[in-house]
Amino acid sequence: QVRLTESGGGFAHAGGDLKLTCAASGKFFRLNLLAWYRQVPDKQREFVAGITPLNDTRYADSVKGRFTIFREYNKNTVSMQMNSLRSEDTAVYYCAADVLKSPLVAATRNWGQGTQVTVSS
């Protein structure tokens, strides 16, 4: 059982900064891809940033140059530093992790509960 717990969401003014952190706990063999998604009402959940076990990163075009994703292997966490926030960044942000519970099975996608980020103009 893997639990993903997000923290760091809240309020910010346009141009401000926030850092989101997702901590994985429970029993698992390995964390593969770690990512952040976001969703606003009546819209599809969208990919924001991802990071591989080799620290390769990928970002949505809308956040390139402003957001930075990184992972800390010794803490089983993935974080995303969000700078120069814009009102359109307002959304519920979800942590996603592809989890290997054992080396004998395929990885499964796990999701956190989500954390609200609200950016005011």
Side-chain angles (χ1 to χ4, degrees):
Q1 302 186 97
V2 179
R3 182 173 183 172
L4 303 177
T5 304
E6 299 105 331
S7 62
F11 296 92
H13 289 100
D17 309 322
L18 288 173
K19 187 177 83 171
L20 304 182
T21 298
C22 172
S25 60
K27 299 294 185 180
F28 55 89
F29 174 72
R30 180 183 175 185
L31 301 175
N32 284 348
L33 179 71
L34 300 174
W36 289 94
Y37 288 72
R38 66 187 182 188
Q39 188 171 26
V40 299
D42 299 323
K43 292 188 177 181
Q44 194 172 22
R45 185 173 298 183
E46 66 172 345
F47 173 83
V48 178
I51 185 167
T52 74
L54 298 179
N55 288 326
D56 294 322
T57 58
R58 177 188 161 217
Y59 298 92
D61 289 341
S62 59
V63 306
K64 286 180 180 177
R66 299 189 297 120
F67 292 8
T68 303
I69 187 171
F70 58 96
R71 63 196 296 168
E72 300 180 54
Y73 288 93
N74 60 335
K75 296 181 179 180
N76 291 321
T77 63
V78 58
S79 297
M80 184 167 67
Q81 178 67 46
M82 304 185 294
N83 296 333
S84 302
L85 285 165
R86 306 166 180 170
S87 60
E88 55 262 40
D89 294 319
T90 296
V92 177
Y93 284 72
Y94 296 90
C95 174
D98 290 341
V99 180
L100 280 170
K101 292 202 168 187
S102 83
L104 302 178
V105 299
T108 58
R109 172 60 60 90
N110 289 263
W111 295 90
Q113 79 285 357
T115 185
Q116 177 72 45
V117 170
T118 302
V119 183
S120 61
S121 301

